Amino acid sequence: MFSFDNRFARELPAAGVAWQPAQVPAPRLLRLNDALARELGADPAVLRGPEGAQVFSGNRVPEGAQPLAQAYAGHQFGGFSPQLGDGRALLLGEVVDVHGRRRDIALKGSGRTPFSRGGDGKAALGPVLREYLVAEAMHALGVPTTRALAAVATGEVVQRDRALPGAVLTRVAASHIRVGTFQFFAVRGQHDQVRALAEHVISRHDPDLAGRDDRFLGLLQGVARRQAALVAQWMNLGFIHGVMNTDNMTLSGETIDYGPCAFMEAFDPEAVFSSIDHGGRYAWRNQPLIARWNLARLAETLLPLLADEPDEAVRLATEVIDAFPAWYDDAWRSGQRAKLGLTTAQPGDAALADDWLALLHTQAVDVTLAWRRLADTAAGQPEPLRDLFVDRAALDAWLARWRERLAADGRDPVTVAVEMRCVNPFVIPRNHRVEEALAAAVDHDDLGPFDRLLAALLRPFDEDADLQRYGEPAPQDLTAGYRTFCGT
Ligand code: AMP
Ligand code: MG
């Protein structure tokens, strides 16, 4: 089925506990990601047969897999837990895909493990389908992310605030190694394990560093640069992860754990959707600050590897953490320039972008539509954009500055508009459409809305008649009261 080659299990036996998935009564394959299956070297036709439901529910462990629950610690909302770990997930193993990239295949919702604490180890159908949709949307948007390979209904009932159908998600990732994986060993004083883990991550995610004396510092830099680029992409899309705990930040630079995440509609830097984020710690505008804070926690675990002399280690680590804001800013600003249709960098560009966002904020304009309609404006159709604003004089004043700036680049307006439409999506996973798809699946066993939404999300930069309903913002009152939950 898959050609497993399980380096994590082999090289880091202390970082997980061998464990078997729970048996479920009536596994039914709901959705399979054919393209991803092929990428992993598997035949979708085989996976769609009876074998697929058995394997993706956890009922049968495929040949070559070595299921294990990964250990990790983590800061959750700033408070440290020395032991979290896979409480409802299992790594089945790794495959080298058709492009030569090593990928983890893991189950989520596969039953209790030694790390389950009070939890049932299960996942409900709604959150499984939600992660499927958002992960695949992010991938289509060009954002590094874990992927969804399959969703299976288990035939079980899981108890949350009400009884819900159970499900298992099969997740594919460059690796599932998190900042919290390093913290797990560091807090126990197991520096040899931290070293082994760091060597493993270097060979998987930063192979160019292998064998270099300064490779551990290089690793920290590499992770920080990947996170800078990733969070800048989130920010430019109005994406709010919602639970940026250190156990939810990967070393690979992929977005992981789509729990309480959401895309904002009316632009608001303070936007928070998660029901448990009372202080707004993970609000949209805080995300780069939190990424840096999390990287500092990673840096602490690496100190003994950075230099023999503790002060020197701290100095080297601090240099990286202090460089992060500039790396982030570069990524965020270059993303904005592309969204504005600019190909050169000029001194006034940051102010131009900031003033645009300030305008969206004061007038509570849908951020995704505003950027999209700005592309139309470049093509000579400003009316759809102007319709989004109440104070059109303020918009017109800004547009005059923007047009002047575009003129300085001297590019053909049609080309500019085409390129802007390749970076300013029309379709994002809007909260009301996601909820609509999940409700149909959970309450009526109807995956039609899920399929139609997914199909739309897979071509986010198109804008044809079929896509219109996915590009429209939710009614204002729905968004204002929208809350997301962690309960997978
Ligand atoms: P998350 O908020 O999804 O990143 O999960 C945080 C921690 O809670 C991880 O250690 C999970 O494995 C654990 N966890 C979440 N839900 C469950 C559950 N239903 N059963 C067992 N552990 C869980
Ligand atoms: Mg997590």
Side-chain angles (χ1 to χ4, degrees):
M1 182 171 276
F2 297 104
S3 300
F4 283 101
D5 172 49
N6 307 322
R7 280 190 55 192
F8 187 91
R10 228 168 27 238
E11 294 173 13
L12 301 163
V17 178
W19 202 256
Q20 295 296 307
Q23 296 293 304
V24 305
R28 183 162 57 98
L29 182 66
L30 296 176
R31 287 300 173 263
L32 175 73
N33 187 334
D34 284 33
L36 182 57
R38 278 190 289 270
E39 223 174 281
L40 297 171
D43 178 358
V46 171
L47 299 182
R48 284 182 183 282
E51 185 88 350
Q54 291 298 324
V55 165
F56 296 132
S57 65
N59 272 6
R60 190 176 307 149
V61 173
E63 201 188 318
Q66 284 169 283
L68 62 87
Q70 286 182 298
Y72 51 86
H75 279 91
Q76 300 182 302
F77 290 91
F80 186 66
S81 293
Q83 183 169 307
L84 293 168
D86 284 337
R88 54 170 163 184
L90 289 174
L91 174 64
L92 289 180
E94 300 141 43
V95 302
V96 176
D97 74 11
V98 295
H99 307 293
R101 292 175 302 190
R102 179 170 292 271
R103 317 277 291 266
D104 277 6
I105 302 180
L107 302 178
K108 189 167 173 181
S110 48
R112 289 180 55 79
T113 76
F115 302 114
S116 295
R117 296 170 292 161
D120 61 3
K122 302 291 183 178
L125 176 61
V128 162
L129 294 180
R130 185 184 168 78
E131 176 156 349
Y132 197 125
L133 286 171
V134 185
E136 292 308 298
M138 291 291 262
H139 177 68
L141 288 162
V143 182
T145 176
T146 64
R147 303 288 305 279
L149 177 62
V152 169
T154 59
E156 271 179 340
V157 169
V158 299
Q159 197 57 47
R160 295 292 180 260
D161 50 340
R162 62 184 173 117
L164 294 168
V168 177
L169 177 77
T170 303
R171 179 159 79 181
V172 173
S175 82
H176 283 80
I177 299 167
R178 313 133 194 270
V179 172
T181 319
F182 282 79
Q183 291 179 294
F184 180 85
F185 291 122
V187 70
R188 287 166 177 75
Q190 296 175 325
H191 301 299
D192 289 351
Q193 296 295 340
V194 175
R195 175 183 284 268
L197 184 61
E199 299 283 19
H200 178 90
V201 173
I202 287 168
S203 79
R204 276 178 86 160
H205 301 307
D206 293 282
D208 295 347
L209 297 172
R212 272 173 46 179
D213 287 345
D214 63 350
R215 62 192 178 282
F216 300 115
L217 184 65
L219 171 65
L220 181 60
Q221 283 166 342
V223 177
R225 285 189 184 277
R226 287 194 281 275
Q227 286 296 333
L230 177 68
V231 176
Q233 281 192 287
W234 293 356
M235 296 297 280
N236 271 321
L237 286 166
F239 175 78
I240 300 159
H241 182 282
V243 60
M244 284 181 75
N245 296 332
T246 57
D247 52 305
N248 290 335
M249 184 188 265
T250 59
L251 279 279
S252 68
E254 287 182 343
T255 313
I256 193 169
D257 266 12
Y258 296 97
C261 64
F263 286 75
M264 65 162 106
E265 298 209 310
F267 182 70
D268 177 8
E270 313 283 340
V272 171
F273 293 101
S274 168
S275 62
I276 58 170
D277 192 357
H278 304 296
R281 178 180 170 92
Y282 300 140
W284 176 82
R285 73 159 185 196
N286 285 351
Q287 296 185 117
L289 303 173
I290 293 291
R292 183 183 184 211
W293 191 89
N294 289 349
L295 290 164
R297 305 289 79 76
L298 174 66
E300 286 163 0
T301 72
L302 296 174
L303 287 175
L305 302 179
L306 296 182
D308 293 335
E309 175 60 41
D311 287 350
E312 176 63 0
V314 170
R315 191 187 67 74
L316 291 168
T318 305
E319 246 174 46
V320 177
I321 302 306
D322 287 348
F324 178 81
W327 293 339
Y328 168 75
D329 214 56
D330 278 354
W332 155 247
R333 294 303 184 188
S334 75
Q336 284 185 324
R337 277 197 302 275
K339 287 172 84 73
L340 286 166
L342 306 176
T343 45
T344 63
Q346 301 292 331
D349 293 350
L352 187 69
D354 289 347
D355 293 347
W356 163 250
L357 291 182
L359 212 52
L360 302 188
H361 185 202
T362 29
Q363 302 204 37
V365 180
D366 184 274
V367 63
T368 307
L369 268 189
W371 281 114
R372 187 75 185 182
R373 297 293 164 248
L374 191 62
D376 301 339
T377 307
Q381 296 170 313
E383 287 315 314
L385 177 66
R386 298 186 79 240
D387 287 347
L388 300 176
F389 286 76
V390 177
D391 177 359
R392 294 184 184 155
L395 171 66
D396 289 340
W398 183 87
L399 284 177
R401 286 168 59 199
W402 175 64
R403 288 201 178 93
E404 200 177 314
R405 176 63 188 83
L406 275 182
D409 272 6
R411 301 165 68 236
D412 163 44
V414 175
T415 310
V416 172
V418 167
E419 289 182 7
M420 285 177 73
R421 290 191 188 107
C422 295
V423 288
N424 292 310
F426 179 60
V427 184
I428 55 159
R430 290 188 181 266
N431 305 320
H432 62 306
R433 295 300 174 216
V434 172
E435 294 304 327
E436 173 184 84
L438 303 193
V442 173
D443 299 332
H444 305 290
D445 200 14
D446 175 10
L447 280 160
F450 172 92
D451 287 337
R452 291 189 287 277
L453 175 57
L454 180 61
L457 291 170
L458 294 184
R459 44 193 197 100
F461 301 107
D462 291 352
E463 186 177 345
D464 50 48
D466 289 350
L467 295 175
Q468 288 311 310
R469 72 186 302 274
Y470 301 104
E472 290 159 9
Q476 194 84 49
D477 52 331
L478 191 145
T479 306
Y482 190 67
R483 288 290 166 273
T484 54
F485 300 91
C486 281
T488 309

